[in-house]
Amino acid sequence: VRIDGQEPMHIGGLYGYCIDRSRMIDILATRVLELGGRVEHERTVEDPAELDADLVVAADGIGSRLRAAHAETFRPAVATGRNYYAWLGTPKVFEAFTFAFQRTDAGWIWAYGYPSSGSTSTFIVECSPSTWTGLGLDRMESEAGLRLVADLFADVLSGEPVLGPTAWQRFTEIRNATWRAGNLVLAGDAAHTTHFGIGSGTVLAVQDALALADALGGVSTKGAGLSTALAAYDRRRRAALESIQCVAQRSMGWFEDVDRHLAA
């Protein structure tokens, strides 16, 4: 944890492991091919019926088209956070997950830095709406915004730049009343989102896949067996995510009140 140029403080714990996202996708795609599957790119699926599949897993992200097409069944609940954030990168390779808070004349701005490959790191920058507008980030061109962020966090970044573009947005929390609509099930961000402050999005998506595979073990893909398996997946994973999303929501709430916390 780094606060406004003070000596960094280590609060313990282990970062874990990281892998470049494109490398992970390559590994998964290769395994699909090894198992006799087919990989298609740049194909939009609006309706699972067009796939003629026994089971369709919609892992198509926070803006899931398949979830939207069956919104009456999934009944998604959407809540939008107050702060603005930009998901950026940097050539600076962090050795550990780093929270960096920087004081400005417009208020506090902070960043979450963590390694994402051997040569780059993820660098998420967040601030309150008043700081966002006070710094002029709402009006700046992308390149100017990147330079400002790099200047503000120059010490943390060891002088390295940040990589954009700077697409500022507010966090969207997604919950669903059910993760299943017939033979269509949700996984990953299509089913649930957790604030990036706890850094668990990809892990939770993989755990969804493991839980679904476990529920389907030894089950026929047709008839009552499949229906029972999907119901079990929906029940167990949704229950597991309830507590995790509550933790993430509390984390988001803390960061939405950073100015008060750091003024104490």
Side-chain angles (χ1 to χ4, degrees), residues 112-234:
Y112 312 73
Y114 56 90
S116 53
S117 72
S119 59
T120 60
S121 293
T122 296
F123 199 68
I124 307 168
V125 180
E126 184 180 9
C127 61
S128 69
S130 60
T131 300
W132 186 60
T133 56
L135 291 173
L137 290 167
D138 60 325
R139 304 179 298 277
M140 286 185 187
E141 295 291 336
S142 180
E143 287 301 317
L146 293 175
R147 288 194 297 271
L148 175 59
V149 168
D151 288 343
L152 290 172
F153 294 100
D155 288 346
V156 177
L157 293 166
S158 302
E160 295 284 359
V162 287
L163 312 173
T166 48
W168 292 95
Q169 55 193 310
R170 293 188 293 166
F171 179 75
T172 302
E173 183 192 66
I174 299 289
R175 298 179 187 232
N176 289 277
T178 178
W179 292 8
R180 180 199 172 194
N183 71 333
L184 170 67
V185 293
L186 304 177
D189 282 355
H192 51 77
T193 58
T194 53
H195 188 260
F196 43 81
I198 70 169
S200 299
T202 302
V203 169
L204 293 173
V206 172
Q207 290 175 348
D208 290 345
L210 292 171
L212 180 57
D214 181 65
L216 291 169
V219 173
S220 170
T221 56
K222 298 183 183 296
L226 177 62
S227 179
T228 300
L230 297 184
Y233 162 74
D234 172 38

Side-chain angles (χ1 to χ4, degrees), residues 11-207:
I11 58 175
L14 299 174
Y15 172 71
Y17 304 92
C18 62
I19 184 173
D20 183 86
R21 187 174 295 270
S22 61
R23 174 63 181 142
M24 179 178 178
I25 292 173
D26 286 344
I27 291 171
L28 294 174
T30 297
R31 184 57 177 156
V32 168
L33 296 174
E34 289 174 350
L35 293 172
R38 186 176 75 250
V39 177
E40 294 186 22
H41 297 285
E42 299 183 8
R43 175 183 174 183
T44 300
V45 178
E46 301 284 358
D47 184 352
E50 69 186 75
L51 297 173
D52 189 28
D54 296 326
L55 170 65
V56 177
V57 182
D60 52 344
I62 189 171
S64 171
R65 296 188 183 202
L66 293 177
R67 184 190 65 226
H70 295 267
E72 290 184 0
T73 300
F74 292 125
R75 302 192 303 283
V78 180
T80 303
R82 182 172 61 88
N83 288 346
Y84 283 89
Y85 75 95
W87 198 288
L88 308 171
T90 177
K92 159 79 174 184
V93 179
F94 290 95
E95 295 181 359
F97 198 112
T98 300
F99 293 100
F101 299 86
Q102 186 64 43
R103 190 197 309 267
T104 74
D105 291 340
W108 289 90
I109 186 169
W110 56 96
Y112 312 73
Y114 56 90
S116 53
S117 72
S119 59
T120 60
S121 293
T122 296
F123 199 68
I124 307 168
V125 180
E126 184 180 9
C127 61
S128 69
S130 60
T131 300
W132 186 60
T133 56
L135 291 173
L137 290 167
D138 60 325
R139 304 179 298 277
M140 286 185 187
E141 295 291 336
S142 180
E143 287 301 317
L146 293 175
R147 288 194 297 271
L148 175 59
V149 168
D151 288 343
L152 290 172
F153 294 100
D155 288 346
V156 177
L157 293 166
S158 302
E160 295 284 359
V162 287
L163 312 173
T166 48
W168 292 95
Q169 55 193 310
R170 293 188 293 166
F171 179 75
T172 302
E173 183 192 66
I174 299 289
R175 298 179 187 232
N176 289 277
T178 178
W179 292 8
R180 180 199 172 194
N183 71 333
L184 170 67
V185 293
L186 304 177
D189 282 355
H192 51 77
T193 58
T194 53
H195 188 260
F196 43 81
I198 70 169
S200 299
T202 302
V203 169
L204 293 173
V206 172
Q207 290 175 348

